[in-house]
């Protein structure tokens, strides 16, 4: 009887071990959680991949930020765990920022040549699906806080559709518009959706692009920007 109990215990522990360390496919993706995450692979190969799954709340977009401890680890976010449905993000050496629409289910894939992968996750509320038209623009905060700018570049037709940003000035001054994480190939500004537009030139400085424009108190300006991938921006009145 004692031998049988030990055998059953060993079998249970083995099953538990494999349930923890063998979930490296889309079908057995682990739930993505905020904060520190780590995963140790059962065995070392040339490259190991681990999959995580996350569903955003209905009606609430999210910005997913992933900070990895090993810069050689590759990160991909997609709708089904494959490259065919990859979601473009803002990528730097150790940090990746991705938009997730409200109610959308996504898969985070991390690939490494190590036996252990470690990373930190933050999820922030954000309007990630605004700006496709002038009637539904991204609202730039007048506090100078950084905000997300989605890209509407069509990869199937190679068409660079603009993103519309709205800014209402609380006072007169020089508006400094800074974009990080990519290059604004075209930048136009005008009063409202029907106002005459002016072309802006963005100057490169320390990894970011900045354009300046004199604004008047109480007026709402529409900034039309063409970008190939999403960016972060901040508008500061000086």
């Amino acid at each position: 009887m004692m031998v049988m109990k030990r055998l059953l215990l060993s079998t249970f522990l083995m099953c538990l071990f494999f349930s923890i360390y063998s979930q490296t496919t889309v079908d057995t993706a682990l739930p993505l959680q905020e904060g520190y995450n780590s995963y140790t692979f059962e065995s070392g190969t040339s490259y190991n991949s681990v999959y995580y799954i996350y569903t955003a709340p209905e009606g609430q977009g999210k910005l997913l930020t992933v900070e990895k401890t090993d810069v050689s680890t590759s990160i991909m976010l997609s709708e089904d765990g494959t490259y065919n449905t990859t979601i473009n993000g803002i990528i730097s050496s150790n940090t990746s920022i991705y938009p997730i629409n409200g109610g959308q289910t996504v898969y985070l894939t991390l690939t490494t040549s190590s036996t252990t992968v470690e990373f930190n996750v933050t999820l922030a509320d954000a309007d990630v699906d605004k700006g496709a038209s002038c009637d539904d623009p991204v609202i730039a905060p007048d506090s100078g806080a950084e905000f997300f700018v989605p890209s509407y570049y069509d990869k199937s037709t190679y068409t660079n559709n603009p993103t519309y940003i709205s800014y209402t000035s609380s006072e007169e001054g020089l508006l400094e518009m800074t974009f990080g994480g990519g290059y604004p190939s075209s930048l136009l500004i005008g009063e409202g959706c029907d106002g005459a537009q002016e072309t802006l030139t963005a100057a490169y400085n320390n990894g970011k692009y900045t354009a300046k424009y004199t604004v008047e108190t109480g007026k709402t300006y529409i900034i039309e920007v063409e970008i190939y991938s999403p960016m972060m921006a901040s508008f500061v009145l000086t």
Side-chain angles (χ1 to χ4, degrees):
M1 179 66 73
M2 183 62 68
V3 173
M4 180 62 69
K5 287 183 177 180
R6 288 178 179 176
L7 180 60
L8 290 174
L9 179 59
S10 298
T11 303
F12 170 77
L13 291 175
M14 185 175 294
C15 292
L16 179 62
F17 176 88
F18 281 108
S19 70
I20 294 174
Y21 289 100
S22 62
Q23 294 182 342
T24 58
T25 67
V26 172
D27 293 334
T28 55
L30 300 168
L32 184 65
Q33 299 179 352
E34 284 198 82
Y36 173 77
N37 293 262
S38 68
Y39 186 89
T40 300
F41 296 95
E42 177 187 347
S43 61
T45 60
S46 56
Y47 285 98
N48 293 304
S49 293
V50 59
Y51 297 85
Y52 290 84
I53 187 173
Y54 172 77
T55 300
E58 287 290 341
Q60 179 59 69
K62 292 284 186 177
L63 272 187
L64 167 66
T65 300
V66 182
E67 294 182 78
K68 55 188 179 181
T69 58
D70 184 354
V71 295
S72 66
T73 299
S74 67
I75 298 176
M76 180 185 73
L77 191 74
S78 64
E79 296 176 19
D80 61 5
T82 70
Y83 285 102
N84 296 329
T85 59
T86 299
I87 298 172
N88 286 338
I90 304 167
I91 311 300
S92 64
S93 60
N94 67 333
T95 302
S96 301
I97 303 173
Y98 299 100
I100 306 174
N101 294 326
Q104 184 181 25
T105 296
V106 296
Y107 291 86
L108 179 69
T109 309
L110 296 98
T111 303
T112 179
S113 57
S114 302
T115 56
T116 300
V117 62
E118 297 176 286
F119 61 100
N120 287 285
V121 167
T122 57
L123 287 159
D125 294 347
D127 291 327
V128 299
D129 56 354
K130 298 286 187 179
S133 69
C134 189
D135 296 328
D136 188 27
V138 176
I139 305 299
D142 60 6
S143 63
E146 199 171 42
F147 62 95
F148 179 75
V149 182
S151 168
Y152 292 102
Y153 175 71
D154 191 329
K155 293 183 290 185
S156 62
T157 62
Y158 305 104
T159 303
N160 202 349
N161 302 303
T163 302
Y164 296 87
I165 304 171
S166 176
Y167 175 82
T168 301
S169 180
S170 58
E171 56 183 294
E172 184 176 332
L174 185 65
L175 182 64
E176 293 189 359
M177 296 162 279
T178 301
F179 299 88
Y183 170 66
S185 59
S186 176
L187 196 57
L188 304 172
I189 190 170
E191 290 184 37
C193 293
D194 301 321
Q197 292 180 311
E198 295 184 46
T199 300
L200 300 177
T201 300
Y204 179 80
N205 182 34
N206 197 27
K208 297 183 178 182
Y209 292 88
T210 300
K212 300 179 181 181
Y213 189 78
T214 300
V215 295
E216 299 180 25
T217 306
K219 290 188 176 182
T220 297
Y221 298 87
I222 295 293
I223 297 88
E224 184 179 318
V225 57
E226 292 184 1
I227 51 179
Y228 293 97
S229 59
M231 305 174 71
M232 299 300 293
S234 60
F235 287 11
V236 178
L237 191 62
T238 60

